[in-house]
Amino acid sequence: MSLEKKLEKIRSPKLQNQKEVSLTLFPQVPAADELKTAIVLSAVEDTLKEQQHDQIPTAYFAALLALLNQAIASPNGVGNTDLASSVIYLLDIVIEHVSAGLLRSKFAQILASIAPVLTSEHATASLLRSSIGCLDHLLVAQDSAAWSLPHTQTSPRRAIAGLLTLTSDQRPKVRKRAQDAITHILQNPPPTPSLDHPAADMCAETALRTLSNALAVSSTPKRKIRDSIQEHNQPGLIHALQLVKSIASASGGWPSKKIEPLCEILMRVSKSNNEYLTMAAFDVFEAIFQGMADQLASSKLPKLTEAVIELKPSQNDSQLLPPWIAVVSRGYDVSAQIDPEGTFHKLPEVFGKVSEYMSSASHEIRVSASECLISFLVNCIPDSVVADPSILDEKTLEKVARSAEDLLNVRFQAAWMEVFNVEAAFFDALRWRANPLARGIVTTIGELRSSDSFNGKKEADVVLGKAVQSMGPAAVLEILPLNLVRSQKRQPGRAWMLPLLRDNVINTHLAHFKTEFVPLSEAMYQRVMDHGESKKTMEVKIFETIVHQTWALFPGYSNLPLDLVQAFDQDFAELLSNLLYSQPELRPDICRGLQTLVESNQEILKVVAEEDELLLRSRITKSNAQKSLDHLAAFAGNLLAVLFNVYSQTLPQFQGYILQCINVYLSITQENELLETFARVTEMLENALNETNTQPPPAEQKSQEHPPNQMPPTTHTLMDLLITLSIYLPLPTFTQLFRLTSHILPLSTDPQLQKKAYKLIPRLATSTNGALALRNRNQDLQSLLISSAATASAPTRRDRLLALATTVDHLPNSDLHFIPSVLSEAVIATKEVNEKARSAAFDLLVLMGRKMETGGTIDQSKIPHMDAGASTAEASLEEFFTMVSAGLVGETPHMVSASITALTRILYEFHQQLPKNVIEDLVSTLTLFLTSNNREIVRSCLGFTKVIIVSVPTEIVQPRLEVLVPGLLEWSKEHKSRFRAKVKHIVERMIRRFGLQEVERWCPEDGKKLVQNIRKTKERKKRRKTEAAVEGAEEGAEVDAEKKRGRKGRFESEYEEAIYGSEDDEDSVVSSDDDNRAPKRKRSNRNDATPGKGTYITELPDDEPLDLLSAHALSHISTSRPVQFKARSKMKAKVDSDGKLVFGNGDGRAAADVDGDKMALDSREEPGDGTLKGGINAYVEAIRGRDAVQRGRDGRLKFSNKRIKGGDEMDVDDEEAGASRKEKSGKGVLGIAKRVGMNGTSRGEKADRGGRGEVGNGNVRKKFDPKIQRKGLGVQKVRGGRIGKTRSGMR
């Protein structure tokens, strides 16, 4: 930023007004200082104008310097602190733009002016920061002669000594500014032959002394002294480390003479138990190595590396060894970047030293050592060594390979899991150079893997897989043969290697597959054939499995083979063709292998990389890849003929991979062969269509779907091949292609064939020639789609919409009459049952809107059912909304509902582009449909209402609340189609956007209850959230995270989330009266497995204590709170005035009935009573009763929620599950829940007898009790709803 822009920010009148207000109200805030700075700047500029000086940096500098001398003119230090703060602040801004020569000439004067500020005890942080900035630029401008002066004189060394003192200041901003100044000064040394800055030694010595003193105090052996001052000196130690890091991060890096003592101190710091100190020490090492990554400072790196190596800790120092190993790893990483060859030649020595720590008893040391070795292999072996090694490089690789092989020695057995990771990295680093260097490693690991007692087979498989990728399967199988056909003596069979080879074979020789695995497959298949048609034994099944596993290797061998031109010959192609015909179970692997042959070479041609990089990565150049594709193209014609025949003989559910293979080989087929193939396919398709048309239609055709095990008609197969072939055809062939399509689209007797024809149009749009043909023949395509609308069957709806979308996308601006011609079809499709068809309809409407938005002409005379003399209209977004709005006057509710849904979607998409008056008219029109009596129309209108509340500006919606709120609340009493839940959610969004008072203002009296419920629910959520935060913030965070995860991905588009989404979809509507009675249960967290947290002990009978040493103690310990059931109280006997028992009431009723404790005698034919007839009745009731589970047309489970008068169950709405209702006032008394028996008589249960009520604290709490729910199969009859005796606290 220029000086003028910086000063302009200070002069800004807008900022000055804010600062004046701040100065008036809060004189202590920084804005007051900025206002004073602006006043000083104005005074300086006025002085310059009076003296007729130009406002240049030098003039500002001279004026501010003179003003600074006046501000500090005091024998006790700084005289006018406010003036000095403003002047030094401006001087810090100006000094950066002053010439270095002027700063050198005025060095003594400026330093004398700033020194009192730096040494003053009462200087503020802002004043010190500005002074440090001035001193920073002043010292950067000094030359080598000034830096050679001793610090006893007024020299830069004396100034930087004071600056180093401020690097340990207790104020963070002052300390940070001083450290940044030190770094900036050291990064800009004066021109000298030396690599280091003249003050680097001085800064390093000061930093080392500060760090040593802080470390000595921190590690004082006397406990009392350490405890009292440790907390104070730990920050001091961190500040000293920050200073060291600031010096080390300079361009010259840490001075060479101070490297050894620094490394020693840093290693001592790394040994601390304080993780922050350890991290700070590592940051210093990182800064040192990062600074030495520069070529100028690279000469210091060997000395630093040697110093670190010499600090090698003891063998079992688990505290210091891991950080030391990490530092060594990072040092060699930087060294490999600067000197790759030199570092590589040192690799065997350091690799052997670090390998010794793999035998340590400490797991941390072994892990650190293994990670360090992996870092060596990844970073210290240059690509040039792998690509073209010299004799010296090969010897170095042999030494490293020998060290890696030694890691598999018995003395490293405890670290074999870590060793396997190192060996895997070794194979990745050496790639194909691992053969023959790593043959010993493969041999040892193969022997371990073959042992039944070895436990690390999974890790060994990873290493062997890396060996297969690097050395190739031929080298690995030479060391570890399969031994499946010709087994050798004392050599076990290794069939377990076949899956290993399948997952890791890549970029190898295809000829090895022909010579090794094709004979193996033939031998195993011959053994299967020798078995004949008799029942398969286990041995025969094993042979079949080996055949399948053998050909599963073919895709891997086909991935960038090195010898494709030589290995893929006519004999091998004939072998593959015969297998495709004769063995259907091998077709997936063979087709995938043939496909990989082409695709892997095509990927090489697409990669943007140098030839050397391609050779290093895959040993194949682009020219080799092109030769391979040309070679395969010579076989493409014959292979396509075979694949076509196989495709026609395969069931539809297994045709996918064959079609993909055909598609790939069509991409490399020559044009003349493509034309011949196209001619044959079209001729066969025309003949098949003619045969189909000549056949008489069946008398009854219930469905066009073919059975899954029946071959599809020939026309379907040929149409699939034609669709696949279409994007590779030249332009002259599209005339015949469109002619075929025009014959197929009107065929309503074959919906599947019609569906495939519609798929052809979007397929063409994916190619260049196809897109050009769609533009050239767009008018013919429009006529074809419009004329075929009447014959389009229901299964083709989605594909027809996609074809319409493709046509609209390629429409010229002069043919926009096609949009109103098919608009009604798109609108009606928004009500389709098929979700994909609905999505396609919505996308088509949006595409139409975007096309109309670009402008153009609409010739209305070309629209079907319009007059020939109709005028031409201009296309626009407003015109498109007018077209869609025409459906609101439709004759059927379905059309009106579809029009509202369509308007909702396009309004959500284009509400920002529409004029305000159009949105207002649309909102005022559609909100009137809330008063409709048709539920389908109102359902769509509810979606529109939600969209306008979410998306439309408030100034448009708020005036309509007078109509919206009463209209919505009128449907809040409707339970069908989830109307109540939808209305509730919309009202919640209203309250969230417009406020509770504004909604209540227009709320009718009968709807205020819902608004009050929403308010209470919101308050209850806040209260529970607060309680959860108090009880445990972690649990609340996990619950919130779970909610977020649950909401993620629920909807495929923002529009669907705006329509259907809700933060409270799963919340139940709890009435205000039942709010206090609803039991509060804390949600359990299944992921919370913290020991001792939420653990409960179930009480034993008679209050006996639990014996924790007992074998049954675990059964009485639970992680969830046990529910304690009320003990069943004994019935009080009915007695008369004389104390005699009374068994009846004289009218035939039981005494318990008079007492309100009626026990109805159950009929023996009641469902579930144990009798045969009762069992049959229970089964019939379970599948046909009113509570039976049913499935809707979308396959979802549905439960009946119809209320039966006097029913024994509470009516719970499906959309507001869990919401409690008030019990109707009836004949029962408090605590008695009414039921209706099988004979229609009323039965009651007391709350204190295990029923549904519990009297406590003046409220009735409803409890869930499975005993009083509907009895299903297997539920034992319980009389009177009583609960059997159980132990307290146990379910």
Side-chain angles (χ1 to χ4, degrees):
M1 187 182 294
S2 63
L3 176 62
E4 184 59 31
K5 290 183 178 180
K6 293 179 181 179
L7 298 179
E8 186 62 31
K9 292 180 68 176
I10 300 176
R11 305 190 199 104
S12 176
K14 183 177 180 180
L15 294 177
Q16 294 305 319
N17 294 335
Q18 299 175 359
K19 292 169 184 174
E20 289 177 3
V21 174
S22 301
L23 182 61
T24 304
L25 300 177
F26 308 102
Q28 72 278 5
V29 298
D33 295 334
E34 295 178 6
L35 179 59
K36 296 174 184 177
T37 304
I39 295 173
V40 172
L41 176 61
S42 177
V44 171
E45 291 177 343
D46 293 341
T47 303
L48 294 177
K49 289 180 182 179
E50 291 177 0
Q51 297 179 0
Q52 297 181 355
H53 290 297
D54 295 334
Q55 294 183 358
I56 58 177
T58 306
Y60 279 110
F61 179 72
L64 291 172
L65 198 58
L67 194 58
L68 179 60
N69 293 331
Q70 299 177 11
I72 64 174
S74 175
N76 298 326
V78 182
N80 190 342
T81 306
D82 295 338
L83 179 60
S85 299
S86 302
V87 172
I88 295 180
Y89 179 79
L90 292 172
L91 193 61
D92 185 19
I93 296 175
V94 174
I95 197 172
E96 182 181 356
H97 304 274
V98 179
S99 64
L102 179 59
L103 293 178
R104 284 194 293 269
S105 62
K106 296 292 184 181
F107 175 76
Q109 181 182 355
I110 300 173
L111 185 60
S113 303
I114 298 177
V117 178
L118 298 174
T119 57
S120 176
E121 298 179 356
H122 305 288
T124 61
S126 59
L127 180 58
L128 283 175
R129 293 201 307 272
S130 301
S131 303
I132 293 171
C134 296
L135 191 58
D136 179 12
H137 294 289
L138 184 63
L139 293 175
V140 169
Q142 304 308 306
D143 54 10
S144 57
W147 283 105
S148 62
L149 297 175
H151 67 276
T152 56
Q153 301 180 10
T154 304
S155 62
R157 288 182 176 273
R158 186 173 184 179
I160 204 169
L163 194 59
L164 287 169
T165 305
L166 292 175
T167 56
S168 301
D169 195 274
Q170 296 298 323
R171 288 164 289 190
K173 293 184 178 180
V174 176
R175 184 174 62 252
K176 182 68 168 60
R177 186 64 186 271
Q179 292 173 357
D180 293 343
I182 292 292
T183 304
H184 184 243
I185 293 169
L186 296 180
Q187 285 177 345
N188 296 274
T192 58
S194 176
L195 181 63
D196 295 333
H197 193 281
D201 290 337
M202 177 183 175
C203 295
E205 186 177 354
T206 304
L208 279 178
R209 185 170 56 252
T210 305
L211 182 60
S212 300
N213 295 337
L215 184 60
V217 174
S218 176
S219 58
T220 302
K222 294 183 179 180
R223 183 175 182 83
K224 294 182 179 179
I225 300 177
R226 185 176 70 246
D227 292 342
S228 61
I229 65 176
Q230 186 177 16
E231 184 177 355
H232 175 73
N233 281 276
Q234 290 287 1
L237 188 56
I238 294 178
H239 299 163
L241 288 171
Q242 290 174 349
L243 175 60
V244 174
K245 181 180 177 182
S246 301
I247 299 172
S249 59
S251 59
W254 190 262
S256 303
K257 298 178 182 179
K258 307 294 182 182
I259 287 180
E260 291 86 351
L262 175 63
C263 292
E264 184 179 355
I265 294 176
L266 289 179
M267 294 306 297
R268 289 171 56 194
V269 174
S270 302
K271 197 174 181 179
S272 172
N273 293 328
N274 192 331
E275 60 180 357
Y276 297 104
L277 290 178
T278 305
M279 292 174 59
F282 284 158
D283 289 341
V284 174
F285 274 116
E286 180 68 24
I288 295 174
F289 286 125
Q290 193 68 29
M292 292 184 180
D294 188 6
Q295 291 292 336
L296 296 177
S298 60
S299 59
K300 302 177 182 180
L301 187 59
K303 190 172 184 179
L304 175 61
T305 307
E306 292 175 2
V308 173
I309 294 295
E310 290 176 358
L311 293 173
K312 176 182 176 181
S314 62
Q315 183 78 15
N316 297 319
D317 192 347
S318 60
Q319 192 173 8
L320 193 55
L321 261 177
W324 178 81
I325 292 174
V327 172
V328 171
S329 173
R330 177 57 177 154
Y332 274 85
D333 182 13
V334 175
S335 178
Q337 299 174 20
I338 298 173
D339 184 15
E341 292 291 337
T343 306
F344 171 66
H345 293 150
K346 297 178 184 177
L347 182 59
E349 180 183 359
V350 68
F351 194 92
K353 288 183 179 180
V354 178
S355 298
E356 296 297 326
Y357 294 108
M358 296 293 289
S359 61
S360 174
S362 173
H363 178 70
E364 291 78 8
I365 296 176
R366 296 199 302 267
V367 171
S368 300
S370 65
E371 292 176 352
C372 181
L373 294 176
I374 293 172
S375 176
F376 288 159
L377 295 171
V378 171
N379 300 315
C380 299
I381 299 180
D383 294 336
S384 60
V385 173
V386 178
D388 187 16
S390 62
I391 297 176
L392 181 59
D393 294 338
E394 290 179 352
K395 292 182 179 180
T396 305
L397 286 176
E398 290 177 1
K399 294 178 182 178
V400 176
R402 198 176 301 114
S403 299
E405 186 175 351
D406 290 341
L407 290 175
L408 295 172
N409 198 295
V410 178
R411 68 190 186 98
F412 297 107
Q413 185 174 3
W416 269 354
M417 297 301 106
E418 290 80 16
V419 168
F420 286 161
N421 295 331
V422 176
E423 304 296 355
F426 178 77
F427 284 111
D428 285 338
L430 266 64
R431 280 162 277 193
W432 64 89
R433 295 295 175 190
N435 185 26
L437 297 176
R439 295 176 68 90
I441 298 176
V442 175
T443 303
T444 305
I445 296 180
E447 292 175 355
L448 291 173
R449 175 62 176 81
S450 300
S451 176
D452 295 335
S453 60
F454 184 63
N455 295 327
K457 294 184 178 181
K458 182 178 180 181
E459 291 77 9
D461 285 346
V462 174
V463 181
L464 292 177
K466 296 291 184 181
V468 171
Q469 295 177 13
S470 304
M471 302 172 61
V476 175
L477 290 177
E478 183 181 352
I479 303 170
L480 303 174
L482 295 176
N483 297 327
L484 297 179
V485 179
R486 295 181 299 273
S487 60
Q488 301 178 7
K489 294 181 178 180
R490 299 181 181 179
Q491 287 290 336
R494 296 186 178 92
W496 52 267
M497 288 194 65
L498 290 175
L500 190 67
L501 292 169
R502 177 198 61 200
D503 298 334
N504 295 282
V505 170
I506 186 175
N507 193 209
T508 185
H509 295 84
L510 184 61
H512 180 257
F513 179 81
K514 294 172 56 179
T515 57
E516 179 74 19
F517 290 102
V518 171
L520 174 63
S521 172
E522 293 175 352
M524 293 296 144
Y525 186 71
Q526 185 61 41
R527 294 184 183 183
V528 175
M529 297 302 296
D530 293 343
H531 185 70
E533 298 294 333
S534 58
K535 185 179 180 181
K536 293 182 180 179
T537 62
M538 181 60 66
E539 187 178 10
V540 173
K541 293 180 180 179
I542 292 175
F543 294 153
E544 290 181 343
T545 303
I546 293 176
V547 172
H548 296 161
Q549 290 180 342
T550 300
W551 280 99
L553 303 178
F554 181 57
Y557 276 93
S558 302
N559 194 343
L560 288 178
L562 301 175
D563 57 346
L564 188 145
V565 177
Q566 296 79 18
F568 196 91
D569 51 11
Q570 184 66 30
D571 294 337
F572 189 61
E574 291 178 358
L575 172 65
L576 296 178
S577 302
N578 293 332
L579 290 175
L580 286 173
Y581 281 122
S582 60
Q583 299 191 37
E585 63 274 6
L586 300 181
R587 288 175 184 173
D589 292 324
I590 296 176
C591 288
R592 191 162 63 250
L594 290 172
Q595 181 180 347
T596 306
L597 283 173
V598 178
E599 290 180 341
S600 59
N601 287 281
Q602 288 178 339
E603 289 295 328
I604 292 293
L605 295 178
K606 295 178 183 178
V607 171
V608 181
E610 298 293 335
E611 292 292 330
D612 295 339
E613 185 179 352
L614 288 176
L615 279 173
L616 190 63
R617 184 189 305 176
S618 57
R619 292 181 285 175
I620 291 180
T621 61
K622 291 187 176 182
S623 59
N624 293 335
Q626 187 61 51
K627 290 179 181 178
S628 299
L629 290 176
D630 295 340
H631 180 73
L632 289 173
F635 294 90
N638 295 330
L639 286 175
L640 284 174
V642 173
L643 291 171
F644 283 175
N645 294 333
V646 172
Y647 183 82
S648 62
Q649 300 170 9
T650 307
L651 293 174
Q653 58 267 32
F654 305 114
Q655 290 179 342
Y657 56 88
I658 303 177
L659 205 60
Q660 292 176 2
C661 187
I662 292 173
N663 185 34
V664 169
Y665 275 87
L666 285 172
S667 64
I668 63 172
T669 305
Q670 298 178 0
E671 185 174 342
N672 56 347
E673 293 184 355
L674 280 175
L675 294 176
E676 293 177 2
T677 305
F678 175 72
R680 289 198 302 269
V681 172
T682 52
E683 182 181 359
M684 294 173 64
L685 180 59
E686 289 176 353
N687 295 334
L689 288 174
N690 293 333
E691 293 177 1
T692 304
N693 294 333
T694 56
Q695 292 177 358
E700 263 185 52
Q701 190 173 0
K702 295 183 179 180
S703 174
Q704 291 291 337
E705 294 290 340
H706 298 278
N709 295 326
Q710 180 180 345
M711 295 298 298
T714 307
T715 53
H716 293 187
T717 303
L718 294 173
M719 195 64 194
D720 288 336
L721 298 176
L722 190 62
I723 293 173
T724 307
L725 185 64
S726 60
I727 62 174
Y728 303 106
L729 295 174
L731 281 175
T733 59
F734 285 99
T735 302
Q736 187 177 2
L737 192 63
F738 278 108
R739 182 175 57 81
L740 273 174
T741 306
S742 62
H743 289 323
I744 296 175
L745 287 181
L747 297 178
S748 59
T749 56
D750 194 347
Q752 294 302 318
L753 184 62
Q754 195 179 49
K755 186 176 182 179
K756 295 178 185 298
Y758 279 118
K759 285 183 177 181
L760 179 63
I761 299 174
R763 170 77 171 173
L764 289 176
T766 59
S767 66
T768 304
N769 290 339
L772 183 60
L774 289 176
R775 284 191 291 269
N776 295 338
R777 307 183 64 88
N778 198 275
Q779 292 184 355
D780 298 338
L781 188 60
Q782 295 174 32
S783 304
L784 177 61
L785 290 174
I786 293 174
S787 60
S788 61
T791 58
S793 54
T796 65
R797 190 76 62 200
R798 173 177 174 268
D799 296 290
R800 175 175 170 81
L801 291 171
L802 294 177
L804 290 174
T806 304
T807 307
V808 170
D809 192 24
H810 293 82
L811 273 180
N813 291 335
S814 58
D815 290 347
L816 294 182
H817 61 275
F818 179 72
I819 292 179
S821 301
V822 297
L823 181 60
S824 59
E825 184 177 357
V827 172
I828 287 293
T830 59
K831 303 290 289 184
E832 281 288 331
V833 177
N834 188 293
E835 183 180 0
K836 293 182 179 179
R838 290 199 308 272
S839 300
F842 288 137
D843 294 340
L844 177 58
L845 287 171
V846 172
L847 183 61
M848 288 178 173
R850 297 194 186 283
K851 196 69 177 180
M852 294 282 288
E853 189 179 11
T854 59
T857 57
I858 303 174
D859 190 356
Q860 298 185 13
S861 61
K862 296 182 179 180
I863 301 175
H865 311 296
M866 293 288 290
D867 296 335
S871 61
T872 302
E874 293 294 327
S876 63
L877 200 56
E878 294 84 350
E879 182 67 20
F880 180 62
F881 272 82
T882 303
M883 294 178 185
V884 181
S885 301
L888 296 176
V889 296
E891 297 179 356
T892 62
H894 187 73
M895 183 63 192
V896 176
S897 174
S899 301
I900 296 175
T901 303
L903 286 170
T904 303
R905 179 65 182 93
I906 59 177
L907 177 63
Y908 180 81
E909 188 71 27
F910 301 106
H911 66 274
Q912 296 181 349
Q913 291 90 339
L914 283 176
K916 183 178 178 181
N917 59 337
V918 175
I919 299 179
E920 289 178 346
D921 295 342
L922 192 63
V923 171
S924 58
T925 301
L926 293 185
T927 51
L928 297 177
F929 285 93
L930 280 174
T931 59
S932 174
N933 293 328
N934 188 276
R935 289 189 180 89
E936 186 178 8
I937 296 176
V938 175
R939 188 186 304 113
S940 300
C941 198
L942 289 178
F944 175 81
T945 305
K946 184 174 181 180
V947 166
I948 63 174
I949 290 174
V950 171
S951 306
V952 176
T954 55
E955 59 269 15
I956 298 178
V957 182
Q958 193 163 2
R960 303 296 304 170
L961 292 180
E962 184 179 0
V963 179
L964 281 174
V965 175
L968 285 173
L969 294 178
E970 185 67 27
W971 289 95
S972 65
K973 308 176 186 65
E974 181 65 43
H975 295 283
K976 292 185 177 180
S977 301
R978 294 177 55 88
F979 272 29
R980 185 177 180 184
K982 292 177 182 178
V983 170
K984 183 193 175 195
H985 176 59
I986 294 173
V987 174
E988 287 176 352
R989 300 301 291 261
M990 278 186 178
I991 294 173
R992 195 178 307 161
R993 193 171 189 193
F994 302 104
L996 181 62
Q997 296 180 354
E998 184 67 20
V999 176
E1000 284 185 336
R1001 176 185 175 188
W1002 307 111
C1003 184
E1005 289 296 330
D1006 56 349
K1008 288 186 177 180
K1009 185 177 179 181
L1010 178 62
V1011 178
Q1012 292 175 0
N1013 170 251
I1014 294 173
R1015 176 182 57 80
K1016 288 185 177 182
T1017 303
K1018 187 175 181 181
E1019 293 175 354
R1020 184 165 58 250
K1021 285 182 179 179
K1022 288 183 178 179
R1023 185 171 62 251
R1024 290 177 179 174
K1025 187 176 181 180
T1026 304
E1027 292 175 356
V1030 173
E1031 293 177 0
E1034 296 181 359
E1035 182 178 356
E1038 290 175 359
V1039 172
D1040 293 340
E1042 184 179 355
K1043 288 183 178 180
K1044 291 179 181 179
R1045 289 193 299 268
R1047 286 180 54 81
K1048 182 178 180 181
R1050 290 179 58 197
F1051 304 100
E1052 295 183 357
S1053 64
E1054 296 179 358
Y1055 168 72
E1056 292 187 1
E1057 183 158 2
I1059 292 292
Y1060 307 112
S1062 170
E1063 296 179 0
D1064 306 322
D1065 280 347
E1066 298 179 359
D1067 294 339
S1068 58
V1069 180
V1070 183
S1071 62
S1072 58
D1073 293 339
D1074 293 340
D1075 184 25
N1076 295 328
R1077 293 184 296 178
K1080 298 180 180 179
R1081 283 192 176 183
K1082 185 176 179 181
R1083 180 180 297 178
S1084 61
N1085 190 358
R1086 295 183 179 180
N1087 296 329
D1088 190 1
T1090 304
K1093 181 177 180 181
T1095 304
Y1096 302 91
I1097 297 178
T1098 306
E1099 296 179 359
L1100 298 178
D1102 301 328
D1103 295 333
E1104 293 182 4
L1106 177 63
D1107 184 8
L1108 296 177
L1109 298 179
S1110 173
H1112 304 285
L1114 190 61
S1115 62
H1116 296 280
I1117 298 176
S1118 173
T1119 56
S1120 59
R1121 184 186 299 276
V1123 178
Q1124 296 183 359
F1125 294 98
K1126 285 189 74 174
R1128 183 180 62 177
S1129 58
K1130 295 182 179 180
M1131 292 178 54
K1132 187 177 181 181
K1134 185 70 175 180
V1135 296
D1136 57 9
S1137 56
D1138 297 332
K1140 297 180 180 180
L1141 293 174
V1142 178
F1143 294 99
N1145 200 32
D1147 55 355
R1149 292 184 301 170
D1153 192 7
V1154 179
D1155 194 41
D1157 224 355
K1158 173 183 175 182
M1159 299 176 60
L1161 297 177
D1162 301 311
S1163 171
R1164 297 301 298 171
E1165 296 180 359
E1166 187 174 351
D1169 60 353
T1171 63
L1172 176 61
K1173 191 172 183 180
I1176 296 175
N1177 293 339
Y1179 174 76
V1180 173
E1181 184 178 358
I1183 62 175
R1184 296 185 180 180
R1186 67 180 184 88
D1187 294 325
V1189 179
Q1190 300 178 357
R1191 289 188 180 272
R1193 58 182 179 181
D1194 56 353
R1196 296 182 178 180
L1197 295 178
K1198 296 175 61 178
F1199 298 87
S1200 174
N1201 60 351
K1202 295 181 180 180
R1203 207 182 296 182
I1204 295 181
K1205 187 175 182 181
D1208 59 337
E1209 294 181 21
M1210 297 172 59
D1211 182 22
V1212 181
D1213 294 335
D1214 56 343
E1215 68 270 20
E1216 299 179 14
S1220 58
R1221 293 179 175 274
K1222 294 183 180 181
E1223 294 181 352
K1224 291 185 177 182
S1225 58
K1227 298 180 181 180
V1229 296
L1230 185 64
I1232 300 178
K1234 295 186 176 180
R1235 302 180 65 184
V1236 178
M1238 296 294 293
N1239 54 2
T1241 59
S1242 176
R1243 298 183 284 175
E1245 298 182 39
K1246 278 192 177 182
D1248 60 348
R1249 302 192 56 166
R1252 280 184 257 176
E1254 181 184 9
V1255 181
N1257 299 330
N1259 296 323
V1260 178
R1261 298 183 179 179
K1262 293 179 171 58
K1263 288 187 175 181
F1264 174 81
D1265 187 359
K1267 299 295 183 179
I1268 59 175
Q1269 301 301 314
R1270 176 181 61 83
K1271 295 177 290 297
L1273 294 175
V1275 178
Q1276 187 177 359
K1277 177 65 181 178
V1278 179
R1279 299 177 180 270
R1282 296 182 181 178
I1283 301 175
K1285 182 181 294 186
T1286 58
R1287 291 187 177 182
S1288 176
M1290 299 293 291
R1291 291 184 180 275

